[in-house]
CSV table of all heavy atoms in Angstrom, one decimal:
chain,number,residue,atom,x,y,z
A,34,MET,N,-52.7,-162.2,-77.6
A,34,MET,CA,-53.7,-163.2,-77.8
A,34,MET,C,-53.6,-163.7,-79.3
A,34,MET,O,-53.6,-162.9,-80.2
A,34,MET,CB,-55.1,-162.6,-77.5
A,34,MET,CG,-56.2,-163.7,-77.5
A,34,MET,SD,-57.8,-162.9,-77.2
A,34,MET,CE,-58.2,-162.3,-78.8
A,35,ALA,N,-53.6,-165.0,-79.5
A,35,ALA,CA,-53.5,-165.5,-80.8
A,35,ALA,C,-54.9,-165.3,-81.5
A,35,ALA,O,-55.9,-165.6,-80.9
A,35,ALA,CB,-53.2,-166.9,-80.8
A,36,GLN,N,-54.9,-164.8,-82.7
A,36,GLN,CA,-56.1,-164.6,-83.4
A,36,GLN,C,-55.8,-164.9,-84.9
A,36,GLN,O,-54.7,-164.7,-85.4
A,36,GLN,CB,-56.7,-163.2,-83.2
A,36,GLN,CG,-55.7,-162.1,-83.6
A,36,GLN,CD,-56.3,-160.7,-83.4
A,36,GLN,OE1,-57.5,-160.6,-83.2
A,36,GLN,NE2,-55.5,-159.7,-83.5
A,37,GLU,N,-56.8,-165.4,-85.5
A,37,GLU,CA,-56.7,-165.8,-86.9
A,37,GLU,C,-57.9,-165.4,-87.7
A,37,GLU,O,-59.0,-165.4,-87.1
A,37,GLU,CB,-56.5,-167.3,-87.1
A,37,GLU,CG,-55.2,-167.8,-86.7
A,37,GLU,CD,-55.0,-169.3,-86.9
A,37,GLU,OE1,-56.0,-169.9,-87.3
A,37,GLU,OE2,-53.9,-169.8,-86.8
A,38,CYS,N,-57.7,-165.0,-88.9
A,38,CYS,CA,-58.9,-164.7,-89.8
A,38,CYS,C,-59.8,-165.9,-89.9
A,38,CYS,O,-59.3,-167.0,-90.1
A,38,CYS,CB,-58.3,-164.2,-91.1
A,38,CYS,SG,-59.6,-164.0,-92.4
A,39,GLU,N,-61.1,-165.6,-89.9
A,39,GLU,CA,-62.0,-166.8,-90.0
A,39,GLU,C,-62.0,-167.4,-91.4
A,39,GLU,O,-62.5,-168.5,-91.6
A,39,GLU,CB,-63.4,-166.3,-89.7
A,39,GLU,CG,-64.1,-165.4,-90.8
A,39,GLU,CD,-63.6,-164.0,-90.8
A,39,GLU,OE1,-62.7,-163.6,-90.0
A,39,GLU,OE2,-64.2,-163.2,-91.6
A,40,LYS,N,-61.3,-166.7,-92.4
A,40,LYS,CA,-61.3,-167.3,-93.7
A,40,LYS,C,-60.0,-168.0,-94.0
A,40,LYS,O,-59.7,-168.4,-95.1
A,40,LYS,CB,-61.4,-166.2,-94.8
A,40,LYS,CG,-62.7,-165.5,-94.7
A,40,LYS,CD,-63.0,-164.6,-95.9
A,40,LYS,CE,-64.4,-164.1,-95.9
A,40,LYS,NZ,-64.8,-163.7,-97.2
A,41,LEU,N,-59.1,-168.1,-93.0
A,41,LEU,CA,-57.8,-168.7,-93.2
A,41,LEU,C,-57.8,-170.0,-94.0
A,41,LEU,O,-57.0,-170.2,-94.9
A,41,LEU,CB,-57.2,-168.9,-91.8
A,41,LEU,CG,-55.7,-168.8,-91.7
A,41,LEU,CD1,-55.2,-167.4,-92.1
A,41,LEU,CD2,-55.3,-169.1,-90.3
A,42,THR,N,-58.7,-170.9,-93.7
A,42,THR,CA,-58.7,-172.2,-94.4
A,42,THR,C,-59.3,-172.2,-95.8
A,42,THR,O,-59.0,-173.1,-96.6
A,42,THR,CB,-59.4,-173.3,-93.5
A,42,THR,OG1,-60.8,-172.8,-93.3
A,42,THR,CG2,-58.7,-173.5,-92.2
A,43,THR,N,-60.0,-171.1,-96.1
A,43,THR,CA,-60.6,-171.1,-97.4
A,43,THR,C,-60.0,-170.0,-98.3
A,43,THR,O,-60.3,-170.0,-99.5
A,43,THR,CB,-62.1,-170.8,-97.3
A,43,THR,OG1,-62.3,-169.6,-96.6
A,43,THR,CG2,-62.8,-172.0,-96.6
A,44,CYS,N,-59.2,-169.1,-97.8
A,44,CYS,CA,-58.7,-168.0,-98.5
A,44,CYS,C,-57.7,-168.4,-99.5
A,44,CYS,O,-56.7,-169.1,-99.2
A,44,CYS,CB,-58.1,-167.0,-97.5
A,44,CYS,SG,-57.3,-165.6,-98.3
A,45,GLY,N,-57.9,-168.1,-100.8
A,45,GLY,CA,-57.0,-168.5,-101.9
A,45,GLY,C,-55.6,-167.9,-101.7
A,45,GLY,O,-54.6,-168.6,-101.9
A,46,PHE,N,-55.5,-166.7,-101.2
A,46,PHE,CA,-54.2,-166.1,-101.0
A,46,PHE,C,-53.4,-166.9,-99.9
A,46,PHE,O,-52.3,-167.3,-100.1
A,46,PHE,CB,-54.3,-164.6,-100.5
A,46,PHE,CG,-53.1,-164.0,-100.0
A,46,PHE,CD1,-52.1,-163.6,-100.8
A,46,PHE,CD2,-52.9,-163.9,-98.6
A,46,PHE,CE1,-50.9,-163.0,-100.3
A,46,PHE,CE2,-51.7,-163.4,-98.1
A,46,PHE,CZ,-50.7,-162.9,-99.0
A,47,PHE,N,-54.1,-167.1,-98.8
A,47,PHE,CA,-53.4,-167.8,-97.7
A,47,PHE,C,-53.0,-169.3,-98.1
A,47,PHE,O,-52.0,-169.8,-97.8
A,47,PHE,CB,-54.2,-167.8,-96.5
A,47,PHE,CG,-53.5,-168.3,-95.3
A,47,PHE,CD1,-52.6,-167.5,-94.6
A,47,PHE,CD2,-53.6,-169.6,-94.8
A,47,PHE,CE1,-51.9,-167.9,-93.5
A,47,PHE,CE2,-52.9,-170.1,-93.7
A,47,PHE,CZ,-52.0,-169.2,-93.1
A,48,ARG,N,-53.9,-169.9,-98.8
A,48,ARG,CA,-53.6,-171.3,-99.2
A,48,ARG,C,-52.4,-171.3,-100.2
A,48,ARG,O,-51.6,-172.3,-100.1
A,48,ARG,CB,-54.9,-171.9,-99.9
A,48,ARG,CG,-55.9,-172.2,-98.9
A,48,ARG,CD,-57.3,-172.4,-99.5
A,48,ARG,NE,-57.3,-173.6,-100.3
A,48,ARG,CZ,-58.2,-174.6,-100.2
A,48,ARG,NH1,-59.2,-174.4,-99.4
A,48,ARG,NH2,-58.2,-175.6,-100.9
A,49,LYS,N,-52.3,-170.3,-101.0
A,49,LYS,CA,-51.2,-170.3,-102.0
A,49,LYS,C,-49.9,-169.8,-101.4
A,49,LYS,O,-48.8,-170.3,-101.7
A,49,LYS,CB,-51.6,-169.4,-103.2
A,49,LYS,CG,-50.7,-169.5,-104.4
A,49,LYS,CD,-51.4,-168.9,-105.6
A,49,LYS,CE,-50.4,-168.9,-106.8
A,49,LYS,NZ,-51.0,-168.2,-108.0
A,50,TYR,N,-50.0,-168.8,-100.5
A,50,TYR,CA,-48.8,-168.1,-100.1
A,50,TYR,C,-48.6,-168.3,-98.6
A,50,TYR,O,-47.6,-167.7,-98.0
A,50,TYR,CB,-48.9,-166.7,-100.4
A,50,TYR,CG,-48.9,-166.4,-101.9
A,50,TYR,CD1,-50.1,-166.0,-102.5
A,50,TYR,CD2,-47.8,-166.6,-102.7
A,50,TYR,CE1,-50.1,-165.8,-103.9
A,50,TYR,CE2,-47.8,-166.5,-104.0
A,50,TYR,CZ,-49.0,-166.0,-104.6
A,50,TYR,OH,-49.0,-165.8,-106.0
A,51,GLY,N,-49.4,-169.0,-97.9
A,51,GLY,CA,-49.3,-169.1,-96.4
A,51,GLY,C,-47.9,-169.6,-95.9
A,51,GLY,O,-47.5,-169.3,-94.8
A,52,GLU,N,-47.3,-170.5,-96.8
A,52,GLU,CA,-46.0,-171.1,-96.4
A,52,GLU,C,-44.8,-170.4,-97.0
A,52,GLU,O,-43.7,-170.8,-96.8
A,52,GLU,CB,-46.0,-172.5,-96.7
A,52,GLU,CG,-47.1,-173.4,-96.1
A,52,GLU,CD,-47.0,-173.4,-94.6
A,52,GLU,OE1,-45.9,-173.4,-94.1
A,52,GLU,OE2,-48.1,-173.3,-94.0
A,53,VAL,N,-45.1,-169.4,-97.8
A,53,VAL,CA,-44.0,-168.7,-98.5
A,53,VAL,C,-43.1,-168.0,-97.5
A,53,VAL,O,-43.6,-167.4,-96.6
A,53,VAL,CB,-44.6,-167.7,-99.6
A,53,VAL,CG1,-43.5,-166.8,-100.1
A,53,VAL,CG2,-45.2,-168.5,-100.7
A,54,LYS,N,-41.8,-168.0,-97.8
A,54,LYS,CA,-40.9,-167.4,-96.8
A,54,LYS,C,-40.6,-165.9,-97.1
A,54,LYS,O,-39.9,-165.2,-96.3
A,54,LYS,CB,-39.5,-168.1,-96.9
A,54,LYS,CG,-39.6,-169.6,-96.5
A,54,LYS,CD,-39.8,-169.7,-95.0
A,54,LYS,CE,-39.9,-171.2,-94.6
A,54,LYS,NZ,-41.1,-171.9,-94.9
A,55,ASP,N,-41.1,-165.4,-98.2
A,55,ASP,CA,-40.9,-164.0,-98.6
A,55,ASP,C,-41.3,-163.1,-97.4
A,55,ASP,O,-42.3,-163.2,-96.8
A,55,ASP,CB,-41.7,-163.7,-99.8
A,55,ASP,CG,-41.6,-162.2,-100.2
A,55,ASP,OD1,-40.6,-161.9,-100.8
A,55,ASP,OD2,-42.5,-161.4,-99.9
A,56,LEU,N,-40.4,-162.2,-97.1
A,56,LEU,CA,-40.5,-161.4,-95.9
A,56,LEU,C,-41.7,-160.5,-95.9
A,56,LEU,O,-42.5,-160.4,-94.9
A,56,LEU,CB,-39.3,-160.6,-95.6
A,56,LEU,CG,-38.2,-161.3,-94.8
A,56,LEU,CD1,-37.1,-160.3,-94.5
A,56,LEU,CD2,-38.7,-161.9,-93.6
A,57,ALA,N,-41.9,-159.8,-97.1
A,57,ALA,CA,-43.1,-158.9,-97.2
A,57,ALA,C,-44.4,-159.7,-97.0
A,57,ALA,O,-45.3,-159.3,-96.3
A,57,ALA,CB,-43.0,-158.2,-98.5
A,58,CYS,N,-44.4,-160.8,-97.7
A,58,CYS,CA,-45.6,-161.7,-97.6
A,58,CYS,C,-45.9,-162.1,-96.2
A,58,CYS,O,-47.0,-162.1,-95.7
A,58,CYS,CB,-45.3,-162.8,-98.6
A,58,CYS,SG,-46.7,-163.8,-99.0
A,59,ARG,N,-44.8,-162.5,-95.5
A,59,ARG,CA,-45.0,-163.0,-94.1
A,59,ARG,C,-45.5,-161.8,-93.3
A,59,ARG,O,-46.3,-162.0,-92.4
A,59,ARG,CB,-43.6,-163.5,-93.6
A,59,ARG,CG,-43.1,-164.7,-94.2
A,59,ARG,CD,-42.9,-165.8,-93.2
A,59,ARG,NE,-44.1,-166.2,-92.6
A,59,ARG,CZ,-45.0,-167.1,-93.1
A,59,ARG,NH1,-44.7,-167.6,-94.3
A,59,ARG,NH2,-46.1,-167.4,-92.5
A,60,GLY,N,-45.0,-160.6,-93.5
A,60,GLY,CA,-45.4,-159.5,-92.8
A,60,GLY,C,-46.9,-159.2,-92.9
A,60,GLY,O,-47.6,-159.0,-91.9
A,61,PHE,N,-47.4,-159.3,-94.1
A,61,PHE,CA,-48.8,-159.1,-94.4
A,61,PHE,C,-49.6,-160.2,-93.7
A,61,PHE,O,-50.7,-159.9,-93.1
A,61,PHE,CB,-49.1,-159.1,-95.9
A,61,PHE,CG,-48.6,-157.9,-96.5
A,61,PHE,CD1,-47.9,-158.0,-97.8
A,61,PHE,CD2,-48.7,-156.6,-96.0
A,61,PHE,CE1,-47.4,-156.9,-98.4
A,61,PHE,CE2,-48.1,-155.5,-96.6
A,61,PHE,CZ,-47.5,-155.6,-97.8
A,62,ILE,N,-49.2,-161.4,-93.8
A,62,ILE,CA,-49.9,-162.5,-93.1
A,62,ILE,C,-50.0,-162.2,-91.6
A,62,ILE,O,-51.0,-162.4,-91.0
A,62,ILE,CB,-49.2,-163.8,-93.4
A,62,ILE,CG1,-49.6,-164.2,-94.9
A,62,ILE,CG2,-49.7,-164.9,-92.5
A,62,ILE,CD1,-48.8,-165.4,-95.4
A,63,ASN,N,-48.8,-161.8,-91.0
A,63,ASN,CA,-48.8,-161.5,-89.6
A,63,ASN,C,-49.7,-160.3,-89.2
A,63,ASN,O,-50.3,-160.3,-88.1
A,63,ASN,CB,-47.4,-161.3,-89.1
A,63,ASN,CG,-46.6,-162.6,-89.1
A,63,ASN,OD1,-47.2,-163.7,-89.0
A,63,ASN,ND2,-45.3,-162.5,-89.2
A,64,GLN,N,-49.8,-159.4,-90.1
A,64,GLN,CA,-50.6,-158.2,-89.8
A,64,GLN,C,-52.1,-158.4,-90.0
A,64,GLN,O,-52.9,-158.0,-89.3
A,64,GLN,CB,-50.2,-157.0,-90.7
A,64,GLN,CG,-48.9,-156.3,-90.3
A,64,GLN,CD,-48.5,-155.3,-91.3
A,64,GLN,OE1,-49.3,-154.5,-91.8
A,64,GLN,NE2,-47.3,-155.4,-91.8
A,65,TYR,N,-52.4,-159.1,-91.1
A,65,TYR,CA,-53.8,-159.3,-91.5
A,65,TYR,C,-54.3,-160.7,-91.1
A,65,TYR,O,-55.2,-160.7,-90.3
A,65,TYR,CB,-53.9,-159.1,-93.1
A,65,TYR,CG,-53.8,-157.7,-93.5
A,65,TYR,CD1,-52.5,-157.2,-93.8
A,65,TYR,CD2,-54.9,-156.9,-93.7
A,65,TYR,CE1,-52.4,-155.9,-94.2
A,65,TYR,CE2,-54.7,-155.6,-94.2
A,65,TYR,CZ,-53.5,-155.1,-94.4
A,65,TYR,OH,-53.3,-153.8,-94.9
A,66,CYS,N,-53.8,-161.7,-91.8
A,66,CYS,CA,-54.4,-163.0,-91.6
A,66,CYS,C,-54.3,-163.5,-90.1
A,66,CYS,O,-55.2,-164.2,-89.6
A,66,CYS,CB,-53.7,-164.0,-92.5
A,66,CYS,SG,-53.6,-163.4,-94.2
A,67,LYS,N,-53.2,-163.1,-89.5
A,67,LYS,CA,-53.0,-163.5,-88.1
A,67,LYS,C,-52.8,-162.3,-87.2
A,67,LYS,O,-52.0,-162.4,-86.2
A,67,LYS,CB,-51.9,-164.5,-88.0
A,67,LYS,CG,-52.1,-165.8,-88.8
A,67,LYS,CD,-50.9,-166.7,-88.6
A,67,LYS,CE,-51.2,-168.0,-89.3
A,67,LYS,NZ,-50.1,-169.0,-89.2
A,68,GLY,N,-53.4,-161.2,-87.5
A,68,GLY,CA,-53.1,-160.0,-86.7
A,68,GLY,C,-54.3,-159.1,-86.7
A,68,GLY,O,-55.4,-159.4,-87.1
A,69,ASP,N,-54.1,-157.9,-86.1
A,69,ASP,CA,-55.3,-157.1,-85.8
A,69,ASP,C,-55.8,-156.3,-87.0
A,69,ASP,O,-56.8,-155.5,-86.8
A,69,ASP,CB,-55.0,-156.2,-84.6
A,69,ASP,CG,-53.7,-155.4,-84.8
A,69,ASP,OD1,-53.2,-155.3,-85.9
A,69,ASP,OD2,-53.3,-154.8,-83.8
A,70,LYS,N,-55.2,-156.5,-88.2
A,70,LYS,CA,-55.7,-155.8,-89.3
A,70,LYS,C,-56.7,-156.6,-90.2
A,70,LYS,O,-57.0,-156.3,-91.3
A,70,LYS,CB,-54.6,-155.2,-90.2
A,70,LYS,CG,-53.9,-154.0,-89.6
A,70,LYS,CD,-52.7,-153.6,-90.4
A,70,LYS,CE,-53.0,-152.4,-91.2
A,70,LYS,NZ,-51.8,-151.9,-92.0
A,71,MET,N,-57.0,-157.8,-89.7
A,71,MET,CA,-57.8,-158.7,-90.5
A,71,MET,C,-59.1,-158.1,-90.9
A,71,MET,O,-59.6,-158.5,-92.0
A,71,MET,CB,-58.0,-160.1,-89.8
A,71,MET,CG,-58.9,-160.0,-88.5
A,71,MET,SD,-59.1,-161.6,-87.8
A,71,MET,CE,-57.4,-162.0,-87.3
A,72,ASP,N,-59.7,-157.2,-90.2
A,72,ASP,CA,-60.9,-156.6,-90.6
A,72,ASP,C,-60.7,-155.6,-91.7
A,72,ASP,O,-61.7,-155.1,-92.3
A,72,ASP,CB,-61.6,-156.0,-89.4
A,72,ASP,CG,-62.1,-157.0,-88.4
A,72,ASP,OD1,-62.3,-158.1,-88.8
A,72,ASP,OD2,-62.2,-156.6,-87.2
A,73,GLN,N,-59.5,-155.2,-91.9
A,73,GLN,CA,-59.2,-154.2,-93.0
A,73,GLN,C,-58.8,-154.9,-94.3
A,73,GLN,O,-58.3,-154.2,-95.2
A,73,GLN,CB,-58.2,-153.2,-92.5
A,73,GLN,CG,-58.6,-152.4,-91.4
A,73,GLN,CD,-57.4,-151.8,-90.7
A,73,GLN,OE1,-56.5,-151.2,-91.3
A,73,GLN,NE2,-57.4,-151.8,-89.3
A,74,CYS,N,-58.8,-156.2,-94.3
A,74,CYS,CA,-58.3,-157.0,-95.5
A,74,CYS,C,-59.1,-156.6,-96.7
A,74,CYS,O,-60.3,-156.6,-96.8
A,74,CYS,CB,-58.5,-158.5,-95.2
A,74,CYS,SG,-58.0,-159.5,-96.6
A,75,LYS,N,-58.4,-156.2,-97.8
A,75,LYS,CA,-59.0,-155.8,-99.0
A,75,LYS,C,-59.6,-157.0,-99.8
A,75,LYS,O,-60.5,-156.8,-100.6
A,75,LYS,CB,-58.0,-155.1,-100.0
A,75,LYS,CG,-57.4,-153.8,-99.4
A,75,LYS,CD,-58.5,-152.7,-99.5
A,75,LYS,CE,-57.9,-151.4,-99.1
A,75,LYS,NZ,-58.9,-150.5,-98.6
A,76,ARG,N,-59.1,-158.2,-99.5
A,76,ARG,CA,-59.7,-159.3,-100.2
A,76,ARG,C,-61.1,-159.5,-99.7
A,76,ARG,O,-62.0,-159.9,-100.4
A,76,ARG,CB,-58.9,-160.6,-99.9
A,76,ARG,CG,-57.5,-160.6,-100.5
A,76,ARG,CD,-56.8,-161.9,-100.2
A,76,ARG,NE,-57.5,-163.0,-100.7
A,76,ARG,CZ,-57.4,-163.5,-101.9
A,76,ARG,NH1,-56.6,-163.0,-102.8
A,76,ARG,NH2,-58.2,-164.6,-102.2
A,77,LYS,N,-61.3,-159.3,-98.4
A,77,LYS,CA,-62.7,-159.4,-97.9
A,77,LYS,C,-63.6,-158.4,-98.5
A,77,LYS,O,-64.7,-158.6,-98.8
A,77,LYS,CB,-62.7,-159.3,-96.3
A,77,LYS,CG,-62.0,-160.4,-95.6
A,77,LYS,CD,-62.1,-160.2,-94.1
A,77,LYS,CE,-61.3,-161.2,-93.4
A,77,LYS,NZ,-61.2,-160.9,-92.0
A,78,GLU,N,-63.0,-157.2,-98.6
A,78,GLU,CA,-63.8,-156.1,-99.1
A,78,GLU,C,-64.2,-156.4,-100.6
A,78,GLU,O,-65.4,-156.2,-101.0
A,78,GLU,CB,-63.0,-154.8,-99.1
A,78,GLU,CG,-63.7,-153.5,-99.4
A,78,GLU,CD,-62.8,-152.3,-99.4
A,78,GLU,OE1,-62.0,-152.2,-98.4
A,78,GLU,OE2,-62.7,-151.6,-100.4
A,79,TYR,N,-63.3,-156.9,-101.3
A,79,TYR,CA,-63.5,-157.3,-102.7
A,79,TYR,C,-64.6,-158.4,-102.8
A,79,TYR,O,-65.6,-158.3,-103.6
A,79,TYR,CB,-62.2,-157.9,-103.3
A,79,TYR,CG,-62.4,-158.2,-104.8
A,79,TYR,CD1,-61.9,-157.4,-105.8
A,79,TYR,CD2,-63.0,-159.4,-105.2
A,79,TYR,CE1,-62.0,-157.7,-107.1
A,79,TYR,CE2,-63.1,-159.8,-106.5
A,79,TYR,CZ,-62.6,-158.9,-107.5
A,79,TYR,OH,-62.7,-159.2,-108.8
A,80,SER,N,-64.5,-159.4,-101.9
A,80,SER,CA,-65.5,-160.4,-101.9
A,80,SER,C,-66.9,-159.9,-101.6
A,80,SER,O,-67.9,-160.3,-102.2
A,80,SER,CB,-65.2,-161.5,-100.9
A,80,SER,OG,-63.9,-162.1,-101.2
A,81,ARG,N,-67.0,-159.0,-100.7
A,81,ARG,CA,-68.3,-158.4,-100.3
A,81,ARG,C,-68.8,-157.6,-101.5
A,81,ARG,O,-70.0,-157.7,-101.8
A,81,ARG,CB,-68.1,-157.4,-99.1
A,81,ARG,CG,-68.2,-158.1,-97.8
A,81,ARG,CD,-68.5,-157.1,-96.7
A,81,ARG,NE,-67.5,-156.0,-96.6
A,81,ARG,CZ,-66.3,-156.1,-95.9
A,81,ARG,NH1,-66.1,-157.2,-95.2
A,81,ARG,NH2,-65.5,-155.1,-95.9
A,82,LYS,N,-68.0,-156.8,-102.2
A,82,LYS,CA,-68.4,-156.0,-103.3
A,82,LYS,C,-68.8,-156.8,-104.5
A,82,LYS,O,-69.8,-156.5,-105.2
A,82,LYS,CB,-67.3,-155.0,-103.7
A,82,LYS,CG,-67.5,-153.6,-103.3
A,82,LYS,CD,-66.4,-152.7,-103.9
A,82,LYS,CE,-66.0,-151.6,-102.9
A,82,LYS,NZ,-64.8,-151.0,-103.2
A,83,HIS,N,-68.0,-157.8,-104.8
A,83,HIS,CA,-68.2,-158.5,-106.1
A,83,HIS,C,-68.9,-159.8,-106.0
A,83,HIS,O,-69.2,-160.4,-107.0
A,83,HIS,CB,-66.8,-158.7,-106.8
A,83,HIS,CG,-66.1,-157.4,-107.0
A,83,HIS,ND1,-66.4,-156.6,-108.2
A,83,HIS,CD2,-65.2,-156.7,-106.3
A,83,HIS,CE1,-65.6,-155.5,-108.2
A,83,HIS,NE2,-64.9,-155.5,-107.1
A,84,GLY,N,-69.1,-160.3,-104.8
A,84,GLY,CA,-69.8,-161.5,-104.6
A,84,GLY,C,-69.0,-162.7,-105.0
A,84,GLY,O,-69.5,-163.9,-105.0
A,85,GLU,N,-67.7,-162.5,-105.2
A,85,GLU,CA,-66.8,-163.7,-105.4
A,85,GLU,C,-65.4,-163.3,-105.0
A,85,GLU,O,-65.1,-162.1,-104.9
A,85,GLU,CB,-66.8,-164.0,-106.9
A,85,GLU,CG,-66.4,-162.9,-107.8
A,85,GLU,CD,-66.4,-163.2,-109.3
A,85,GLU,OE1,-67.1,-164.2,-109.7
A,85,GLU,OE2,-65.7,-162.6,-110.1
A,86,ALA,N,-64.6,-164.3,-104.8
A,86,ALA,CA,-63.3,-164.1,-104.2
A,86,ALA,C,-62.4,-163.5,-105.3
A,86,ALA,O,-62.6,-163.8,-106.5
A,86,ALA,CB,-62.7,-165.4,-103.8
A,87,PRO,N,-61.5,-162.7,-104.9
A,87,PRO,CA,-60.5,-162.1,-105.9
A,87,PRO,C,-59.5,-163.2,-106.3
A,87,PRO,O,-59.5,-164.3,-105.7
A,87,PRO,CB,-59.9,-161.0,-105.1
A,87,PRO,CG,-60.0,-161.4,-103.7
A,87,PRO,CD,-61.3,-162.1,-103.6
A,88,SER,N,-58.6,-162.8,-107.2
A,88,SER,CA,-57.5,-163.7,-107.6
A,88,SER,C,-56.7,-164.0,-106.4
A,88,SER,O,-56.5,-163.2,-105.4
A,88,SER,CB,-56.6,-162.9,-108.6
A,88,SER,OG,-55.3,-163.4,-108.5
A,89,ASP,N,-56.1,-165.3,-106.4
A,89,ASP,CA,-55.3,-165.7,-105.3
A,89,ASP,C,-54.1,-164.8,-105.1
A,89,ASP,O,-53.5,-164.8,-104.0
A,89,ASP,CB,-54.8,-167.1,-105.6
A,89,ASP,CG,-55.9,-168.2,-105.5
A,89,ASP,OD1,-57.0,-167.8,-105.1
A,89,ASP,OD2,-55.6,-169.3,-106.0
A,90,ASP,N,-53.7,-164.1,-106.2
A,90,ASP,CA,-52.6,-163.2,-106.1
A,90,ASP,C,-52.8,-161.8,-105.5
A,90,ASP,O,-51.9,-161.0,-105.4
A,90,ASP,CB,-52.0,-163.1,-107.5
A,90,ASP,CG,-51.5,-164.4,-108.1
A,90,ASP,OD1,-51.1,-165.3,-107.3
A,90,ASP,OD2,-51.6,-164.6,-109.3
A,91,MET,N,-54.0,-161.6,-105.2
A,91,MET,CA,-54.3,-160.3,-104.5
A,91,MET,C,-53.9,-160.4,-103.0
A,91,MET,O,-54.4,-161.3,-102.3
A,91,MET,CB,-55.7,-159.8,-104.7
A,91,MET,CG,-56.0,-158.5,-104.1
A,91,MET,SD,-57.7,-158.1,-103.7
A,91,MET,CE,-58.2,-157.3,-105.1
A,92,MET,N,-53.1,-159.5,-102.6
A,92,MET,CA,-52.7,-159.6,-101.1
A,92,MET,C,-53.8,-158.9,-100.3
A,92,MET,O,-54.6,-158.2,-100.8
A,92,MET,CB,-51.4,-158.9,-101.0
A,92,MET,CG,-50.3,-159.5,-101.8
A,92,MET,SD,-48.6,-158.8,-101.4
A,92,MET,CE,-48.7,-157.2,-102.1
A,93,PRO,N,-53.7,-159.1,-99.0
A,93,PRO,CA,-54.7,-158.4,-98.1
A,93,PRO,C,-54.6,-156.9,-98.2
A,93,PRO,O,-55.6,-156.2,-97.8
A,93,PRO,CB,-54.3,-158.9,-96.7
A,93,PRO,CG,-53.1,-159.7,-96.8
A,93,PRO,CD,-52.9,-160.0,-98.3
A,94,THR,N,-53.5,-156.4,-98.7
A,94,THR,CA,-53.5,-154.9,-98.9
A,94,THR,C,-54.2,-154.4,-100.1
A,94,THR,O,-54.4,-153.2,-100.3
A,94,THR,CB,-52.0,-154.5,-99.1
A,94,THR,OG1,-51.5,-155.2,-100.2
A,94,THR,CG2,-51.2,-154.7,-97.9
A,95,GLY,N,-54.6,-155.4,-101.0
A,95,GLY,CA,-55.3,-155.0,-102.3
A,95,GLY,C,-54.3,-155.0,-103.5
A,95,GLY,O,-54.8,-154.9,-104.6
A,96,HIS,N,-53.0,-155.0,-103.2
A,96,HIS,CA,-52.1,-155.1,-104.3
A,96,HIS,C,-51.8,-156.5,-104.8
A,96,HIS,O,-52.0,-157.4,-104.0
A,96,HIS,CB,-50.7,-154.5,-103.8
A,96,HIS,CG,-50.9,-153.0,-103.4
A,96,HIS,ND1,-50.9,-152.7,-102.1
A,96,HIS,CD2,-50.9,-151.9,-104.1
A,96,HIS,CE1,-51.0,-151.4,-101.9
A,96,HIS,NE2,-51.1,-150.9,-103.2
A,97,ASN,N,-51.4,-156.6,-106.0
A,97,ASN,CA,-51.0,-157.9,-106.5
A,97,ASN,C,-49.6,-158.3,-106.0
A,97,ASN,O,-48.7,-157.5,-106.0
A,97,ASN,CB,-51.0,-157.9,-108.0
A,97,ASN,CG,-52.4,-158.5,-108.5
A,97,ASN,OD1,-53.3,-158.7,-107.8
A,97,ASN,ND2,-52.4,-158.8,-109.8
A,98,ILE,N,-49.5,-159.6,-105.7
A,98,ILE,CA,-48.2,-160.0,-105.1
A,98,ILE,C,-47.2,-160.1,-106.2
A,98,ILE,O,-47.4,-160.4,-107.3
A,98,ILE,CB,-48.5,-161.4,-104.5
A,98,ILE,CG1,-47.3,-161.8,-103.6
A,98,ILE,CG2,-48.7,-162.5,-105.5
A,98,ILE,CD1,-47.7,-162.8,-102.6
A,99,ARG,N,-46.0,-159.8,-105.8
A,99,ARG,CA,-44.8,-159.9,-106.7
A,99,ARG,C,-43.7,-160.6,-105.9
A,99,ARG,O,-43.1,-160.0,-105.0
A,99,ARG,CB,-44.4,-158.5,-107.2
A,99,ARG,CG,-44.9,-158.3,-108.6
A,99,ARG,CD,-44.4,-157.0,-109.1
A,99,ARG,NE,-45.5,-155.9,-109.0
A,99,ARG,CZ,-45.2,-154.7,-108.5
A,99,ARG,NH1,-44.0,-154.4,-108.2
A,99,ARG,NH2,-46.2,-153.9,-108.4
A,100,LEU,N,-43.4,-161.8,-106.3
A,100,LEU,CA,-42.4,-162.5,-105.5
A,100,LEU,C,-41.1,-162.6,-106.4
A,100,LEU,O,-41.1,-162.5,-107.6
A,100,LEU,CB,-42.8,-163.9,-105.2
A,100,LEU,CG,-43.9,-164.1,-104.2
A,100,LEU,CD1,-44.2,-165.5,-104.0
A,100,LEU,CD2,-43.5,-163.4,-102.9
B,1374,SF4,S1,-55.9,-162.5,-96.9
B,1374,SF4,FE1,-57.6,-161.6,-95.8
B,1374,SF4,S2,-59.3,-163.0,-96.1
B,1374,SF4,FE2,-57.4,-164.1,-96.5
B,1374,SF4,S3,-56.8,-165.1,-94.6
B,1374,SF4,FE3,-55.7,-163.1,-94.8
B,1374,SF4,S4,-57.0,-161.6,-93.7
B,1374,SF4,FE4,-58.2,-163.5,-94.1
């Protein structure tokens, strides 16, 4: 079943890196943004904790992206 994170259109990470071809990046997008780990996304956790979105460069795993 196709599923997508409800923040897909507003998420800074996805907007910046959604089209990037980097394999690791694609893997995270498939697991989190478009997969069953979307509820474990660290960006969402950060937003809940801090009341604001994290840097666009924070990946759903919570690590900073390195391309
Ligand atoms: S990084 Fe997290 S908040 Fe952003 S689209 Fe992916 S799952 Fe959703």
